[in-house]
Amino acid sequence: IGFIDGNLKYAAIQFTTTMHDDVATAEKGKVREVVDDLVNEINRGSPPGMANAFGSASEFVWFETERGLVHGFYMGMIICFPMAFLMLMLSTSNVIVSMLAVLSIGLIVSCVLGMCQMFLGWALGTGEAIAGIIVIGFSVDYVIHLGHMYVDANRAKGFIHRIDRFTYSARKMAGTVFAGAVTTFGSGLPLFACQLTFFTKMGTLISGTIAFSICYSLGFFMSACLLFGPNGRVGDLLWIADIIGLSACMKNRCGVDLSRVGHHKSEEHVHTQMKVIPAVGPMQPSSSSASDEKDVNSAL
């Protein structure tokens, strides 16, 4: 009970709940709703001038912070996947490869978060929301390297069929990707020795993400490229521009020939070597060629 200048100004009623500090944000939200309903019921039965009760607790203040972090996690998920697709389009310039890569990333994130919820019993809280954004970053890494090599096989080496491009990508990048996975997985192991729960969760998410990433990038993504990957220029942005008529429009209106964009250097080198240099005057046969012609005539 609080008195100010001899007048009764407020009365506080303390009570203890069964909610623990480490429960999920969603469970804390349910407790908050129960308290708010109780306060609203008290206000409805209070006389005029006293219907201004409210519930307050230090845990509710932190609950708002947790709810903001979880909301940021969901917003990060919504933003990261379109941004990942955009970055894959910029690096590979192929719609089919980018879609297969985004599908692989989605499977990796689903497996990691599903493992934390079903097998480890984690609920989405502060630590999971902060570390969950890192999961997407690790998931993109290996897939984008393999996809870039798959597309580069056609531009740099002229490989057309998907089996040749798959072989080129596997030989050029599979070893590098696997070595990077081993080192990154090892970097998360020391976090398991920490006493704070946040760091152990971070180590679990890092190691789990790397394990699923290497399995899905070398297993699922490369297999999908081998079975459903594009042949030749199929799926390339320039190929799509040719299909919809954008190349012809740009050439007629702006004088820009999109069909010449993206040719590899070997073709440019060949075209350079095949330039014809016109002679200034009439060409005179050399003495050796004249003697050879005389020998041929005498032989005939």
Side-chain angles (χ1 to χ4, degrees):
I1 298 177
F3 289 90
I4 299 178
D5 296 333
N7 298 320
L8 177 62
K9 293 296 183 180
Y10 68 89
I13 302 175
Q14 297 182 354
F15 61 94
T16 303
T17 66
T18 58
M19 182 186 71
H20 296 280
D21 293 336
D22 56 351
V23 298
T25 305
E27 297 298 326
K28 293 181 179 179
K30 294 179 181 179
V31 176
R32 176 65 183 270
E33 291 177 359
V34 172
V35 174
D36 290 340
D37 293 340
L38 177 61
V39 170
N40 292 332
E41 184 179 353
I42 294 174
N43 287 330
R44 284 193 297 267
S46 300
M50 298 183 62
N52 53 4
F54 62 91
S56 176
S58 59
E59 288 78 7
F60 291 163
V61 177
W62 180 244
F63 162 74
E64 296 297 334
T65 304
E66 290 184 358
R67 187 163 62 176
L69 292 173
V70 172
H71 177 72
F73 171 74
Y74 288 125
M75 291 299 298
M77 286 287 184
I78 296 173
I79 296 173
C80 281
F81 279 99
M83 290 300 298
F85 180 78
L86 178 61
M87 296 305 299
L88 288 165
M89 286 292 297
L90 293 176
S91 60
T92 63
S93 300
N94 191 282
V95 177
I96 299 176
V97 176
S98 300
M99 292 178 65
L100 293 176
V102 170
L103 177 60
S104 302
I105 296 169
L107 293 174
I108 295 169
V109 175
S110 300
C111 287
V112 173
L113 298 181
M115 175 194 70
C116 294
Q117 200 279 330
M118 295 201 55
F119 297 102
L120 301 178
W122 295 356
L124 188 58
T126 305
E128 293 80 6
I130 295 175
I133 302 298
I134 304 175
V135 172
I136 303 177
F138 281 127
S139 304
V140 175
D141 193 14
Y142 305 139
V143 174
I144 194 172
H145 290 313
L146 293 170
H148 178 261
M149 284 294 103
Y150 184 90
V151 175
D152 189 64
N154 175 254
R155 299 172 182 173
K157 299 298 181 180
F159 294 143
I160 298 177
H161 299 291
R162 59 173 66 101
I163 180 64
D164 298 327
R165 302 171 75 173
F166 167 84
T167 305
Y168 177 83
S169 178
R171 289 179 176 176
K172 286 290 185 180
M173 194 56 63
T176 303
V177 167
F178 184 78
V182 171
T183 55
T184 310
F185 183 86
S187 67
L189 296 180
L191 295 175
F192 289 98
C194 297
Q195 296 181 354
L196 293 179
T197 306
F198 175 79
F199 292 110
T200 57
K201 289 184 177 181
M202 182 73 72
T204 302
L205 288 173
I206 292 176
S207 302
T209 303
I210 295 302
F212 282 111
S213 295
I214 192 64
C215 292
Y216 273 98
S217 59
L218 294 180
F220 174 80
F221 177 71
M222 292 299 290
S223 301
C225 289
L226 179 61
L227 296 175
F228 312 107
N231 286 323
R233 297 176 60 243
V234 176
D236 288 350
L237 295 181
L238 297 178
W239 176 80
I240 297 176
D242 293 338
I243 295 297
I244 64 178
L246 181 60
S247 297
C249 180
M250 291 290 292
K251 186 175 182 180
N252 295 332
R253 294 180 177 272
C254 304
V256 179
D257 189 2
L258 294 180
S259 62
R260 301 300 305 162
V261 181
H263 283 199
H264 44 77
K265 296 180 180 179
S266 60
E267 292 183 352
E268 295 176 358
H269 179 71
V270 171
H271 290 302
T272 303
Q273 295 297 327
M274 293 180 63
K275 288 182 178 179
V276 179
I277 302 176
V280 178
M283 297 181 63
Q284 300 294 332
S286 61
S287 58
S288 59
S289 61
S291 59
D292 293 340
E293 184 179 356
K294 186 180 297 184
D295 294 339
V296 171
N297 292 331
S298 61
L300 293 175

